[in-house]
Amino acid sequence: MKHLFIINPAAGSKDRTESYKAQIEAHCQSLNYEIAVSQAPGHCTELARAAAQSGEEYRIYACGGDGTLNEVATGAAGYENVAVTAFVGGSGNDFVRLFSEPNAFRELPRLLDCEEATFDMIRCNDDFSVNICSVGLDARIGTDVSRYKRLPLLHGFRAYAVSTVVNVIKGIAEHYTIEIDGERIDGKQTMICACNGRFYGGGFNPVPEADPSDGLMDVLIVKKVSRLQVPGVVGKYKKGLYQKLPKLVRHFRTDRVRILCDKETCINLDGELRRAKEVVFSIAKEKLRFFYPKGLTWQVKLPAEVK
């Protein structure tokens, strides 16, 4: 068994490379391990894929945030000889919030004593997503967060809140044609969200029952709303109370959705920005081996108000 630590120095509000190296060297003396530092966007994917293609058994640690995990998982997707985890140090760390103790992913000794699950991945056009994808207002908000998260006092949800205000002022709804479960929905929508995981945007939990191992995405389609409606809708959406908005939000559990746009639109892919006029979200045939600290649980536990 080889252990590969892929460090992303661009993750989070500061470069944590030396901190990561110190922890790895302190706890991995008896292991066959290697440390690699990403040099540019996409490099984490290249490093993970090279390890996967070697055919040797690997555990790969994505040292950073959700974007780092996305890159590493993309490189490892579909390779049965590789398992991946998040050794968190980014600004959001949203994917691991589906586990019963997210902070355990900050403790390397606990990651070394692990168990494993097989998770789905979302295919978004030519890319992969581990967690949540979206189109519309939400995508603009999510991908603009990076502009604010490195500013003083604007980490996590605060950066997301600032991005929300800015993008609401720019405009709320756009025209989309959506094909889902044999239905064609044509009209102005505020956003479309496809969930494999449960949390994003520094704490938004749109579908608390989303299960990353069930072979389906939980898709929310939010109709056009007014600026006056935005605070109430976003508040319920953030808490996973979409069922309380039946006239504005539709929920689907599906393995594919196609979105046709009048012009190139923003796509939020685990916090990373993509653009396209046609967007297809689908459950990928490739699966992801994901390991996590022993004793943690990730199965669905619904809050009382949405049961």
Side-chain angles (χ1 to χ4, degrees):
M1 170 76 70
K2 291 188 175 182
H3 298 257
L4 173 61
F5 295 86
I6 300 178
I7 301 173
N8 182 2
S13 58
K14 63 179 181 180
D15 183 354
R16 291 181 169 82
T17 301
E18 295 308 313
S19 173
Y20 274 125
K21 286 182 176 179
Q23 293 180 71
I24 295 164
E25 291 166 0
H27 296 290
C28 298
Q29 293 297 326
S30 62
L31 301 178
N32 182 0
Y33 77 90
E34 178 184 353
I35 297 173
V37 180
S38 172
Q39 302 299 313
H43 192 204
C44 294
T45 297
E46 295 174 10
L47 292 167
R49 185 167 293 133
Q53 291 177 341
S54 73
E56 297 187 75
E57 188 75 16
Y58 267 96
R59 284 183 185 159
I60 304 181
Y61 304 73
C63 304
D66 291 304
T68 309
L69 176 60
N70 174 279
E71 284 200 18
V72 170
T74 295
Y79 286 91
E80 296 183 359
N81 58 308
V82 174
V84 167
T85 197
F87 185 10
V88 300
S91 58
N93 309 316
D94 285 310
F95 181 72
V96 299
R97 294 188 189 205
L98 66 86
F99 288 89
S100 54
E101 194 181 342
N103 282 334
F105 287 86
R106 297 182 181 275
E107 302 175 31
L108 184 53
R110 296 189 66 180
L111 281 172
L112 295 174
D113 184 22
C114 63
E115 50 192 296
E116 186 179 308
T118 300
F119 286 158
D120 300 319
M121 297 188 74
I122 296 175
R123 168 78 72 171
C124 172
N125 293 352
D126 294 327
D127 294 301
F128 286 104
S129 165
V130 178
N131 193 25
I132 292 177
C133 302
S134 57
V135 166
L137 175 65
D138 188 55
R140 289 191 279 119
I141 291 170
T143 54
D144 277 358
V145 166
S146 60
R147 299 185 184 184
Y148 308 107
K149 68 181 181 181
R150 288 181 179 258
L151 297 178
L153 304 179
L154 289 183
H155 305 307
F157 178 69
R158 289 181 180 179
Y160 199 94
V162 170
S163 184
T164 298
V165 171
V166 171
N167 279 285
V168 165
I169 292 172
K170 289 180 180 178
I172 296 172
E174 294 185 39
H175 175 260
Y176 301 109
T177 301
I178 305 166
E179 298 173 356
I180 185 168
D181 284 357
E183 185 175 349
R184 187 179 178 91
I185 303 169
D186 192 332
K188 286 196 171 183
Q189 312 292 338
T190 299
M191 56 190 177
I192 304 106
C193 178
C195 304
N196 188 46
R198 298 183 198 132
F199 290 88
Y200 74 133
F204 277 62
N205 182 204
V207 186
E209 66 268 32
D211 182 339
S213 67
D214 64 358
L216 295 170
M217 301 176 292
D218 285 84
V219 177
L220 297 182
I221 300 175
V222 182
K223 293 181 180 179
K224 180 182 178 181
V225 299
S226 68
R227 285 189 173 90
L228 291 177
Q229 290 175 303
V230 167
V233 171
V234 169
K236 288 184 173 62
Y237 176 89
K238 177 179 183 290
K239 296 177 181 179
L241 302 178
Y242 64 87
Q243 294 172 339
K244 294 191 174 183
L245 299 165
K247 294 183 179 179
L248 293 175
V249 182
R250 295 188 64 185
H251 174 229
F252 296 83
R253 299 191 74 245
T254 186
D255 61 0
R256 189 179 190 275
V257 57
R258 179 175 181 238
I259 305 163
L260 303 175
C261 316
D262 294 344
K263 58 184 179 181
E264 271 204 346
T265 194
C266 292
I267 307 167
N268 169 32
L269 187 76
D270 293 349
E272 303 299 312
L273 174 65
R274 301 288 188 273
R275 295 181 182 275
K277 285 189 67 176
E278 179 178 342
V279 185
V280 177
F281 298 137
S282 62
I283 291 294
K285 68 179 187 300
E286 296 88 351
K287 302 298 178 183
L288 180 69
R289 289 175 56 197
F290 190 87
F291 64 98
Y292 54 92
K294 188 173 292 184
L296 269 59
T297 59
W298 54 269
Q299 286 78 9
V300 177
K301 290 185 179 180
L302 297 182
E305 60 263 41
V306 298
K307 285 183 179 178

